[in-house]
Amino acid sequence: MNTSYAGRSYPPTEPYEVGREKIREFALAVGSDPGDGRTAPPTFPIVLSMHAEKQVVDDPGFGFDFSRVVHRDQRFDSVRPVRSGDRLTVTVEVVAADTVDGNDVVTLRGHIREADGGAPVCTTTSTLVSRGGR
């Protein structure tokens, strides 16, 4: 893994329009009450951030082996709830990239914003570990 990628940011994703059915599907998948589908569960932003993080893990210059990944940590810092009808983009940055005891450890931060106007909605922080080949 190329640890010099720490500090690198990737371009924003195309806008994602949040729909009631997607909110309902996610709520049911995580065992939450889907309600009327207007307001997403607090962890719904993972749908957007994981898609955006794919830019990083698929970057051949980064050299991160996603086939050996375990999820170490996930955090959500919300400014407001995600709602049906929101159009959102995600900009991902590599906060840290290091090799620890033969394992590649990367921390990614996703800045989720309104596509129209750029107001912040949520920040996600994911720490992934790609296990060494021992």
Side-chain angles (χ1 to χ4, degrees):
M1 179 178 68
N2 187 343
T3 58
S4 72
Y5 272 50
R8 183 176 289 205
S9 290
Y10 286 75
T13 60
E14 290 295 317
Y16 176 94
E17 186 161 341
V18 179
R20 283 186 179 189
E21 192 55 35
K22 291 295 180 188
I23 290 173
R24 284 188 197 106
E25 288 172 2
F26 184 86
L28 289 170
V30 298
S32 187
D33 178 8
D36 61 7
R38 290 182 189 206
T39 303
T43 56
F44 183 85
I46 195 67
V47 171
L48 287 85
S49 63
M50 284 190 72
H51 176 73
E53 290 170 359
K54 192 165 171 32
Q55 295 177 85
V56 180
V57 298
D58 287 350
D59 185 333
F62 188 39
F64 188 71
D65 184 358
F66 195 75
S67 71
R68 301 183 60 78
V69 162
V70 292
H71 202 187
R72 181 171 142 189
D73 187 41
Q74 182 69 55
R75 286 177 282 156
F76 300 89
D77 295 308
S78 296
V79 174
R80 68 162 179 83
V82 172
R83 298 181 193 96
S84 176
D86 281 345
R87 288 177 27 98
L88 305 172
T89 63
V90 185
T91 303
V92 174
E93 69 174 301
V94 180
V95 176
D98 202 1
T99 300
V100 179
D101 293 330
N103 300 303
D104 292 333
V105 181
V106 63
T107 301
L108 305 172
R109 185 162 296 135
H111 302 278
I112 301 173
R113 298 181 170 278
E114 294 175 359
D116 307 321
V121 174
C122 182
T123 301
T124 62
T125 305
S126 304
T127 302
L128 307 172
V129 179
S130 181
R131 297 167 292 143
R134 296 187 236 173

